Every structure is written in structure tokens, then in C-alpha cells.
Amino acid sequence: MSLKLRFALLFTLLVAVILSGSMAAIYLLYHNNRREDFYKRVEQQALQTYSLHFDKRYQDSMMRQLSVQSGTNLYQEEDYIVDANTYRVIHQTPAKSVFIFDSADLAPARKQNSERFNVGDREGVIKYFPASQVFVVSMAYDRVGIRKLNTLFWILLFVCLGAVAVTAVVAFIYARQITRPLTRLSEEIGSISESNLTQRVPVGRINDELTHIARNFNEMLNRLEKAFNIQKSFVHHASHELRTPLASMLSQTESALRQDLSSEQYRKVLESLKEDQQGLIDLTNSLLSLSQFEKIAAAGEWPELRIDELLYETVESARRMLSDINIIIGFSEIPDDENLLCVKGNEALLKAAFMNLIKNAHRYSDNRRVQITMSATAERVLVVFENTGKQIPEEERSRLFIPFFRGQNSLGKKGFGLGLSIVNRIIHLHLGTVHYEADGDKINRFVVEFIK
């Protein structure tokens, strides 16, 4: 069932319930008012019947005739005067009427002097007069009132059905008008696929819910397009990086097979193949690490780690690995409380990130010198990695953390362009940020910030 049809049906049902309830209330109120009015008329007739027989003012025949002519003129009227002691009918009008009374019928009227009752479609009143020791029973059929009540019922029924029908038509038209922009939006969204991710949904000028949906959908498309582009770039560069050493290895192997080489020459070929194989292993390990880090979610149950201790351990490992590196590590301001240097994290991941930043600073430094500066407050921990060397052009800085991206300063240097991507992912897993700054003409600075 479509949204507009469901809306029209629900709205029509709501209106139908309200109308039905309102008209039922009108009918019941009119029904009660008619019955109350008719009972009063019958009661007046009972009083008149008693007066005609027991009030001396009405004994004169002329007065009696005037009283009868000024009566209530009830339809199918019957009047009875019953002795309160013997329960015998002592008078009845019309004379041919036959109605038997007993104590069970008349007893309630003796207690309250008046009682109302129904007999079939007729309504009546029993009046008790202690002074005369009689019951006066009057009953009649409210032909005019019942006819009006039936007429009112059919009027209300047809008005309700007509109103519901009109409401259904109006609700459907209104729902179609309301959902038309949503239908257009659905069609525009349905026309977008992986082949035309650059297409965007038009955003209306009115700041309503549909505008918010269109704007959010376009923002989602921007993220998807960026992710697709990164994925395409990743696949393209990964293929290129893998193809280059494989092609080199194949070329060297074919060349060695075509020639009769000496043992020393074979040894050089094997050394070259080993170097290419090691490069392939390093590339594969980097790809696997990046893939694994993309799937890891930030963990809130990680233990508290001292950033300074992790950095000192990473620096010692870097010095053993890179014999010509010169690392200077210290604090811009020593914190009063050593616990300010603690963050929740994974030791192995943070060491890997710090090692990549140290190796990156060493590789692109003019003097193989790396300076690491720490600072800490109650809100954050900062770690700054600096080196002197060729700076990254401003137009390339936004792509530094994209996998396989290598700037102009990397020409002639080995690498795959994956180190900073891995660093960025690890730092983000720890709810931190990393960014690049250029200071002066030669200073390159990577700033890592952990938010507590």
C-alpha cells in the first residue's frame, strides 16, 4: 500500500470516527430529550385524568368537557384508575381496553408517588394519590416524536456517509499533493547508481523535512563518492606498486636464464631478487595492516598507557633500526602530574604509529635529525614530530593521508605511500587527530593530538 493511500485511509478513518461519535451523541441526546418530554406529557395526562374524577372543580359537565378538549391529545392513549387496596380497575379510557394490574406493577409507585414504565412501543406513567387511595395509569405512543427521531437518524446517517466520502476524496488529493515532492525525490534517488555518483539530488529552497533529506542524501553521496575514489585509487596504486617489483623480478629472471652467468653474477641477481621480494613483503604487510585497521573499531576498554614511556621505547627501537638517525625527545613543558600523560590505547598500535612517523621524518630529513616534543593538559596530550627538509606543497597537504599518495618531496626515495595512512587510522582509532604543519622554509611538523 502506497504512503498516500495509507495516509488518506487513516485520515478518513479518523474523521469517520469523530463524525460517528458526534452524530451518535446528537442522536442519543435527542432521543433522551424526546422521551423526557413525552413522559411529562403523559404525566400531565395522568394528573388531568385524576382531576376529572376526584377534583370537585371538574364535576360540572361544562368544565369536564373543556378539560377534555384541552387535553394532551396523545396517540393510542389509555388511562386507568386503579383502587390502591384491591388493585381493581375502577375506570378506564377507552372502555374496551383491557389491562390487568397487580401489586408488583404498582408497588414502586406507592413508594415514590410516581413511576415510569414501557409496554412494547408505548410509554407510560403510574401516579399514586394517597388522599384518594388510587393509582392513575396513563400510557400512549409518541408517534410524532418517534417519527422525528427516525428522520433524524437517517439524516445523520446520510450526512455522516457523505462527509466521510468527501473526506476520503479530499484526503487522497491532499495526500497526493503532499507526497508528490517525496515521489520526485524517490525517482531522483533511484536514478543514481555507482556509474553516476557525481549526480546530486536538487535541494529545495523551503527549509522543510524534504530539504533536510535531500541535503543529507547529497552529503552521503559525497562521502560515498570520496570512498569510491579512494578505493579506485587504492586498487590502482596497489596494482602499480605490486606490478613494478614483479616485472623487475621477471625481467631479471628471464635475463639470467638466457645467459650463462658466473657464480658471482648469479649471486648479484639473487641479491637483487631478494631486495625486490623484501619490498613485496613490506608492501603486502602494509596493505594487510591498513586493511585490518579499517575494520577495527575504537575500544573503550583499552588500558591506560603512558605516552612518554611508549615514545621512549619506540625511539630506542628506531635507533637500533636506523643507525644514522639522530632523535631528540623531550617536553615543551613538564606536567605537574605524570598521569596527565596517560591515554586509553593499544600499545602495539600506538608504537606502530609513532615508528611510522619517526621513519617518515628520518626519510625526508636533510640531516637525519628528528625532534619529538610532548606536552599534556587535563584535556589533551600533544606529540609533535619535526624535521628539517623540503616542505610539502600546500595543494598536496589535503591528500597526505590517502593510501599510496606520495608528494613531490618523495621523488627518488623508496616507499609506498602507506605509512601516513596507517598512522591516521591508528590515531583515529584512539579518538585522536594527526595533521601536518609547515613552519618557516624548512620545518616539517606532524602534530598528534589525543583528546581525553
Side-chain angles (χ1 to χ4, degrees), residues 315-355:
V315 167
E316 290 301 318
S317 298
R319 285 171 175 163
R320 289 193 298 268
M321 184 184 302
L322 305 170
S323 58
D324 61 341
I325 193 170
N326 178 20
I327 303 178
I328 301 173
I329 183 170
F331 291 90
S332 60
E333 183 178 350
I334 299 177
D336 297 331
D337 185 358
E338 61 182 16
N339 291 324
L340 294 178
L341 291 163
C342 293
V343 297
K344 286 187 176 182
N346 180 286
E347 181 178 349
L349 293 180
L350 287 176
K351 283 184 176 180
F354 294 154
M355 180 61 76

Side-chain angles (χ1 to χ4, degrees), residues 103-119:
S103 60
D105 298 325
L106 302 175
R110 186 188 295 271
K111 296 178 181 179
Q112 303 177 8
N113 293 333
S114 181
E115 182 70 19
R116 296 174 178 179
F117 67 93
N118 293 337
V119 178

Side-chain angles (χ1 to χ4, degrees), residues 193-408:
S193 64
E194 68 279 0
S195 60
N196 59 343
L197 279 177
T198 56
Q199 182 177 337
R200 294 294 181 267
V201 174
V203 178
R205 297 180 179 178
I206 302 176
N207 191 25
D208 55 9
E209 287 78 4
L210 290 178
T211 302
H212 289 303
I213 292 174
R215 187 179 294 115
N216 291 335
F217 183 77
N218 286 340
E219 291 176 359
M220 182 191 71
L221 284 180
N222 291 334
R223 293 191 296 269
L224 284 177
E225 184 182 9
K226 182 179 179 180
F228 270 95
N229 290 335
I230 291 175
Q231 185 181 32
K232 289 179 181 178
S233 175
F234 183 88
V235 172
H236 171 76
H237 287 91
S239 301
H240 176 75
E241 294 292 342
L242 288 170
R243 183 180 62 183
T244 300
L246 288 173
S248 175
M249 291 169 62
L250 178 62
S251 175
Q252 293 181 70
T253 304
E254 289 178 343
S255 176
L257 290 174
R258 285 196 301 266
Q259 302 178 33
D260 187 11
L261 302 177
S262 63
S263 299
E264 185 62 28
Q265 290 173 325
Y266 277 121
R267 184 177 183 83
K268 290 182 179 179
V269 170
L270 291 175
E271 289 289 344
S272 179
L273 290 174
K274 178 184 176 182
E275 185 178 350
D276 290 336
Q277 289 168 357
Q278 186 61 49
L280 281 175
I281 292 172
D282 294 340
L283 176 58
T284 304
N285 289 336
S286 298
L287 291 173
L288 287 174
S289 298
L290 190 60
S291 175
Q292 290 171 353
F293 296 154
E294 290 296 330
K295 297 176 182 178
I296 298 175
E301 300 302 323
W302 279 336
E304 293 277 350
L305 300 175
R306 286 274 300 269
I307 293 297
D308 57 337
E309 293 179 356
L310 290 178
L311 278 169
Y312 286 130
E313 293 175 7
T314 307
V315 167
E316 290 301 318
S317 298
R319 285 171 175 163
R320 289 193 298 268
M321 184 184 302
L322 305 170
S323 58
D324 61 341
I325 193 170
N326 178 20
I327 303 178
I328 301 173
I329 183 170
F331 291 90
S332 60
E333 183 178 350
I334 299 177
D336 297 331
D337 185 358
E338 61 182 16
N339 291 324
L340 294 178
L341 291 163
C342 293
V343 297
K344 286 187 176 182
N346 180 286
E347 181 178 349
L349 293 180
L350 287 176
K351 283 184 176 180
F354 294 154
M355 180 61 76
N356 272 306
L357 287 170
I358 292 172
K359 290 168 66 176
N360 185 78
H362 169 262
R363 181 177 297 133
Y364 298 104
S365 171
D366 290 343
N367 53 10
R368 303 291 185 248
R369 181 174 177 270
V370 179
Q371 181 170 343
I372 303 174
T373 306
M374 292 175 283
S375 64
T377 65
E379 293 79 24
R380 62 181 184 174
V381 176
L382 286 181
V383 183
V384 179
F385 297 81
E386 289 186 359
N387 71 328
T388 57
K390 187 176 181 182
Q391 293 180 331
I392 300 172
E394 190 171 351
E395 62 272 11
E396 293 182 353
R397 295 173 188 174
S398 60
R399 294 179 288 168
L400 272 179
F401 302 101
I402 296 176
F404 294 108
F405 173 78
R406 305 189 73 197
Q408 296 179 10

Side-chain angles (χ1 to χ4, degrees), residues 22-36:
S22 301
M23 293 185 175
I26 293 172
Y27 179 82
L28 291 174
L29 289 172
Y30 183 81
H31 175 271
N32 293 335
N33 183 69
R34 177 213 61 83
R35 186 172 58 178
E36 187 66 25

